[in-house]
Amino acid sequence: MTFTKTTEQSSKYEHLEKMSVSELLSNINQEDKTVPFSVEKALPQIEILITQIVAKMKLGGRLFYIGAGTSGRLGVVDASECPPTFGVPFDLVNGIIAGGDKAIRKAVENAEDDANQAWIDLQEHNINENDVVVGIAASGTTPYVIGGLKACNENNITTASISCNAESQLSQTAKFPIDVVVGPEFVTGSSRMKAGTAQKLVLNMISTATMIQLGKVKGNKMVDMQLSNSKLVDRGVKMIMGEIPVSYAAASELLTKYGSVRKAVDNYKGH
């Protein structure tokens, strides 16, 4: 099969500069609506990967996302949201971006073109055979990401990928590839749009489903979330009230004493 970068193909829309704001928004929205259907086609691939991640984490493994530019930033965002949402250690899910943390805010020239740097970056985290590394690249051709997965394969580390082009080099390198083919962007080649949205949806699924499988959610509640602001503390108090017959004040006292919804409820029921 011939590899075609559909993410780089010309937009279906012409003369964007002549469109009104209303037309621009309507057309962008029309394109955005197609993304969940593209993700749906990849659900079997996503399921296989999550099963692998859960199994590795039960052995003490970790999850790493590697990427450059928008893809790298999306990995960093997903990783950074796991500790506050699910109460897991900060190093259980890790986001690594080409060019280092400064690249989160500002593009680092040529960072994505270094095929050797990702493995160097991963080694700083003492990467090992229990870990899973997911390479994220809309194009499926980013040297930083492909090089990182190749090195992981050589060292018997489980590899996966999220790409928005079918049959890409990245997909062929990963042991567990996920292809979400979203087609041409509204602005030609601007893969932060549909491709970025698709990647975010897949990352949401990976981290959320994994954490649920690992017991970090009870019912439909984030019982292990970090209580880092007053909104979350209030939510936690109300979760406790929904689980055990106590007043708001008593629930608040339990939450303060035990530090998490799960521990507050378990200790109350244990007495």
Side-chain angles (χ1 to χ4, degrees):
M1 183 175 177
T2 304
F3 174 58
T4 304
K5 272 193 193 181
T6 52
T7 53
E8 298 290 335
Q9 288 182 335
S10 186
S11 172
K12 300 171 189 174
Y13 303 84
E14 298 287 349
H15 308 298
L16 306 188
E17 73 279 6
K18 295 181 181 178
M19 292 182 185
S20 66
V21 172
S22 176
E23 289 169 327
L24 288 168
L25 298 181
S26 177
N27 290 330
I28 291 171
N29 184 238
Q30 283 301 117
E31 289 300 304
D32 286 346
K33 286 177 183 177
T34 68
V35 176
F37 295 105
S38 299
V39 173
E40 184 178 14
K41 293 174 185 175
L43 290 181
Q45 293 177 313
I46 301 168
E47 180 183 355
I48 291 168
L49 173 57
I50 291 169
T51 302
Q52 291 291 322
I53 295 169
V54 171
K56 287 288 187 177
M57 284 191 170
K58 286 181 177 178
L59 295 173
R62 300 162 294 169
L63 173 60
F64 289 85
Y65 299 129
I66 59 171
T70 298
S71 297
R73 293 182 189 103
L74 288 168
V76 169
V77 166
D78 194 73
S80 66
E81 290 173 348
C82 287
T85 306
F86 302 108
V88 296
F90 74 93
D91 59 350
L92 184 66
V93 183
N94 306 273
I96 298 175
I97 184 170
D101 284 355
K102 62 183 177 183
I104 295 170
R105 291 183 177 274
K106 188 177 180 181
V108 175
E109 193 172 353
N110 299 326
E112 69 174 57
D113 298 326
D114 189 336
N116 299 313
Q117 188 62 43
W119 179 242
I120 294 169
D121 293 343
L122 286 165
Q123 284 179 299
E124 290 182 7
H125 296 266
N126 298 313
I127 191 89
N128 64 72
E129 292 182 12
N130 285 335
D131 299 327
V132 178
V133 178
V134 180
I136 313 170
S139 65
T141 60
T142 307
Y144 176 88
V145 181
I146 294 169
L149 292 200
K150 283 181 176 177
C152 288
N153 287 338
E154 291 165 5
N155 287 275
N156 202 30
I157 295 164
T158 302
T159 57
S161 63
I162 304 170
S163 173
C164 295
N165 287 313
E167 300 295 321
S168 70
Q169 187 182 351
L170 178 61
S171 296
Q172 291 172 3
T173 303
K175 297 285 176 62
F176 300 97
I178 296 168
D179 297 323
V180 184
V181 183
V182 295
E185 296 285 6
F186 179 69
V187 176
T188 298
S190 183
S191 55
R192 70 186 182 87
M193 300 185 77
K194 285 193 300 181
T197 301
Q199 290 171 327
K200 180 71 169 79
L201 292 176
V202 173
L203 290 166
N204 284 350
M205 288 178 171
I206 291 172
S207 55
T208 304
T210 295
M211 294 302 161
I212 292 171
Q213 288 287 299
L214 292 171
K216 298 299 179 182
V217 170
K218 186 176 181 182
N220 56 20
K221 304 293 196 303
M222 298 180 287
V223 292
D224 293 323
M225 67 180 180
Q226 292 178 357
L227 307 168
S228 55
N229 59 48
S230 57
K231 177 192 77 173
L232 296 179
V233 170
D234 179 66
R235 184 188 297 168
V237 170
K238 289 172 180 172
M239 282 188 203
I240 293 169
M241 292 171 68
E243 291 289 321
I244 55 179
V246 293
S247 66
Y248 188 98
S252 180
E253 193 173 314
L254 284 167
L255 189 58
T256 301
K257 182 177 180 180
Y258 293 108
S260 82
V261 174
R262 184 190 299 273
K263 289 177 183 175
V265 172
D266 287 350
N267 277 280
Y268 179 87
K269 288 180 175 179
H271 288 145

